[in-house]
Amino acid sequence: MAYHLDEYDLFLPVGLHFLEEAEQMILDLGPDPSRCVIARPQHVEVYRKAGEFAGWPANYGLWIWDDEVVVVFAQGLLGREGKIHARDRDHPFRPLQARSHDGGMTWAVEPFLGQVPGAETLSADEHVVEGLRAGRNIIPGRDLQPLTIPIDFLDLDTIVMAARTGISRAVSWFYVSRDRARTWQGPYAFGDFGLPGISARTDIIPVSANEALFMLTSSKSDGNEGRIFCARTTDGGRTFSFQGFLMEETKGYAIMPSSVRLPEGRIVSAARRMGTGEEGWIDIFMSDDLGITWRQVGGPVPTGFGGNPGALQILPDGRLALIYGYRDKLYGIRLRMSDDGGRTWSRETVVRRDGGSPDLGYPRVVVKPDGSLLCVYYFNEKEDGERFIAASVVMPKSR
């Protein structure tokens, strides 16, 4: 039996009256508790060091092979700068990766062995001073080469990670690993598609062995971020063609898509949105022609001050799960479910709400062999404390 507990959308048995206890009980995904239930989320630390700022898995990637999992993130130093991104801009943000062999319960940190062009900072030029930025040093024809060995997008051991310099008029590239992130080849060039700049995060939709869609973000006509578009390769990543924009330019931005392909071939993409105010949200878009044309079908999903990207996944039963950071009080990680391909979404569920400030989120999510969701994100427990990489495992109840 489940009962509603004030505004937090948590459900728990009668007799428990404290929010802290609720996190160890059954959380309802609503509005039908018999269909959507998470039981006892498990939280673990992936990487944490005092005085450091580890962040932004959404900018890099998370991959799973049975019980083996790899995540890539950025490592820098803690600093003080506003409500979000309390980082030391005078220190580079270097890439690191962590690997788990038990489904995300324990992790070992590894070096990222890919070549970082231009500087030590990877996909984080906007977070460091000018002298530490990669973009000022990169010459695409010299530092970013065309791919020669085609990618097999259906090979389970092969993964692709997108990277970039910054967020405005940026240069982007990608890496390939064919041995589960033990080695990386690249950086390989996308090209610029005739656009004023490309800010690539990893959002890749396999279509066949040599064909895939890459969801990317371009600068707008004024040079500011951002406008999402779809690019297509049919030769294993050796060349790319422009497919279509997700939406028209706005006064704010549409960036950081997270996309899946449904069994019937439809593409569903969750876009991070901001307008001219301080509150962000996620909108849901669909395409039935491999990314050429798009229509908005869902949203808004509020994400709080400054906004946060979503991480979209398909469960084995066909439902969609959307994980995202929430940057208003209570700060933390939240989840919604859809059983109609993203058109409508369940009540918001609190996965965790113990963040110390809005400086958290940027999740990635994968589905484990048992059907549970493993989400990895950056987090903080107090405003002046270190930013660290954490993971949560949640188990949606079957239909």
Side-chain angles (χ1 to χ4, degrees), residues 70-384:
V70 170
V71 62
V72 179
F73 56 94
Q75 177 268 332
L77 295 183
L78 193 66
R80 296 293 304 171
E81 188 170 328
K83 294 180 69 175
I84 298 180
H85 302 330
R87 76 285 200 213
D88 181 353
R89 296 175 60 89
D90 293 313
H91 188 277
F93 272 94
R94 302 180 179 97
L96 282 179
Q97 62 187 51
R99 189 181 305 268
S100 173
H101 290 282
D102 55 9
M105 292 297 95
T106 61
W107 296 82
V109 177
E110 304 172 345
F112 174 78
L113 298 179
Q115 178 186 348
V116 180
E120 297 177 89
T121 295
L122 180 67
S123 296
D125 270 14
E126 68 274 25
H127 295 297
V128 296
V129 297
E130 179 69 27
L132 296 175
R133 295 176 183 172
R136 63 199 295 269
N137 301 317
I138 293 175
I139 299 176
R142 180 195 68 189
D143 302 310
L144 310 178
Q145 299 298 318
L147 178 73
T148 56
I149 302 174
I151 302 164
D152 181 349
F153 292 105
L154 300 184
D155 176 18
L156 298 181
D157 289 333
T158 297
I159 58 177
V160 179
M161 189 182 84
R164 61 188 171 83
T165 55
I167 58 177
S168 297
R169 301 191 186 279
V171 176
S172 292
W173 58 91
F174 64 96
Y175 300 94
V176 181
S177 175
R178 295 177 172 86
D179 56 5
R180 303 187 179 187
R182 289 174 174 83
T183 61
W184 293 92
Q185 294 82 52
Y188 299 118
F190 279 116
D192 62 15
F193 302 94
L195 297 168
I198 308 296
S199 295
R201 280 97 164 181
T202 307
D203 186 23
I204 302 164
I205 307 157
V207 177
S208 64
N210 290 131
E211 182 179 1
L213 305 178
F214 283 59
M215 299 297 294
L216 305 170
T217 301
S218 76
S219 298
K220 297 186 296 184
S221 55
D222 62 5
N224 294 319
E225 61 172 354
R227 190 179 182 190
I228 297 169
F229 71 98
C230 178
R232 182 184 182 186
T233 178
T234 57
D235 56 9
R238 287 178 289 184
T239 61
F240 292 87
S241 60
F242 178 89
Q243 291 287 88
F245 283 113
L246 197 76
M247 59 181 292
E248 296 298 320
E249 286 192 10
T250 68
K251 291 183 178 179
Y253 58 62
I255 62 174
M256 301 190 72
S258 178
S259 311
V260 296
R261 187 173 187 229
L262 303 182
E264 64 268 28
R266 174 173 293 157
I267 309 299
V268 180
S269 188
R272 178 184 177 182
R273 298 292 314 281
M274 282 288 291
T276 57
E278 292 186 336
E279 299 292 307
W281 70 95
I282 294 169
D283 281 334
I284 309 299
F285 294 81
M286 288 183 181
S287 175
D288 289 310
D289 55 10
L290 293 179
I292 298 172
T293 60
W294 296 85
R295 64 189 185 279
Q296 184 179 342
V297 297
V301 175
T303 53
F305 175 81
N308 218 268
L312 194 63
Q313 268 292 355
I314 305 177
L315 294 179
D317 62 10
R319 288 178 294 164
L320 297 183
L322 179 66
I323 296 274
Y324 49 97
Y326 188 75
R327 284 177 158 171
D328 284 342
K329 294 182 178 180
L330 303 162
Y331 311 121
I333 306 298
R334 304 202 176 186
L335 166 67
R336 293 181 191 253
M337 301 284 292
S338 175
D339 60 5
D340 59 5
R343 294 178 179 85
T344 61
W345 295 85
S346 69
R347 185 193 315 271
E348 185 175 62
T349 291
V350 177
V351 175
R352 64 185 304 175
R353 35 67 61 199
D354 56 330
S357 82
D359 201 359
L360 49 72
Y362 276 58
R364 287 276 172 174
V365 63
V366 291
V367 180
K368 296 176 61 175
D370 64 358
S372 63
L373 295 168
L374 171 67
C375 54
V376 181
Y377 46 89
Y378 88 104
F379 207 71
N380 74 89
E381 294 175 338
K382 55 183 180 178
E383 188 172 3
D384 60 352

